[in-house]
């Protein structure tokens, strides 16, 4: 494969195009994570308010018996608070799942862009004065940054499932 060389000014212009696209994806990721954290904070606050009276009264039992749960189903004795709690858990799980998927999509776009930039570097013999488009020159930096964005929504999904199981079943 023959290497092409392009003038430095064209290389800088090409770098700026790639870098602007990465900035766009980073902004999308930041907005999605901010929305995720705001929604989760609101839902956890709703959950705490729903259980505030039980906590202050000292009657906060996490796990109910299966017989009590089955009896409630057969007698159709679902309390309004329990229905709201299930809805909060469902919405919390759903928003965490959607946040994970959307942040993952932005991350995959950045990975594809980085691969394309690396191919551009290989084709043109490299641009010694230009840094990598992600990670600030450290290959692990990008992966470490993605780790928390991937962990938080997954952790929230697990927490909402645990809350639903311990309070509703």
């Amino acid at each position: 494969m023959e290497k092409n060389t392009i003038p430095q000014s064209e290389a800088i212009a090409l770098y700026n195009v790639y870098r602007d696209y990465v900035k766009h994806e980073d902004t999308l990721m930041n907005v999605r994570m901010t929305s995720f954290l705001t929604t989760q904070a609101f839902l956890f606050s709703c959950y705490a308010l729903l259980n505030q009276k039980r906590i202050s009264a000292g009657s906060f039992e996490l796990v109910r018996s299966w017989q009590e749960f089955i009896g409630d189903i057969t007698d159709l004795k679902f309390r309004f608070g329990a229905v709201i709690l299930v809805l909060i858990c469902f919405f919390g799980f759903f928003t965490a799942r959607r946040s994970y998927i959307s942040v993952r999509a932005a991350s995959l776009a950045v990975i594809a862009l980085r691969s394309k930039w690396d191919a551009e570097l290989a084709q043109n013999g490299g641009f010694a004065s230009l840094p990598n488009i992600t990670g600030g020159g450290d290959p692990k930096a990008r992966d470490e940054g993605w780790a928390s964005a991937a962990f938080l929504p997954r952790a929230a999904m697990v927490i909402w499932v645990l809350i639903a199981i311990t309070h509703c079943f």
Side-chain angles (χ1 to χ4, degrees), residues 34-146:
T34 300
S35 297
F36 159 73
L37 292 171
T38 303
T39 304
Q40 295 298 311
F42 174 75
L43 292 172
F44 279 117
S45 297
C46 290
Y47 166 72
L49 286 173
L50 188 64
N51 288 295
Q52 182 178 14
K53 189 174 182 180
R54 288 175 33 187
I55 293 169
S56 64
S59 63
F60 190 75
E61 297 173 6
L62 287 180
V63 180
R64 296 173 25 187
S65 70
W66 282 103
Q67 285 106 358
E68 182 183 345
F69 176 70
I70 300 287
D72 285 351
I73 291 175
T74 57
D75 297 338
L76 298 174
K77 289 184 184 174
F78 282 109
R79 296 180 321 265
F80 181 70
V83 172
I84 296 297
L85 181 66
V86 169
L87 290 174
I88 289 172
C89 291
F90 173 76
F91 191 66
F93 180 86
F94 179 75
T95 57
R97 176 82 176 132
R98 290 304 311 157
S99 295
Y100 173 76
I101 290 169
S102 63
V103 169
R104 179 74 179 143
S107 178
L108 290 172
V110 170
I111 290 169
L113 193 63
R114 185 176 181 179
S115 296
K116 192 172 180 183
W117 174 250
D118 290 343
E120 193 77 46
L121 284 176
Q123 180 182 2
N124 290 299
F127 308 115
S129 62
L130 297 175
N132 291 334
I133 61 167
T134 61
D138 184 0
K140 287 186 176 182
R142 196 222 145 267
D143 296 332
E144 292 293 326
W146 157 247

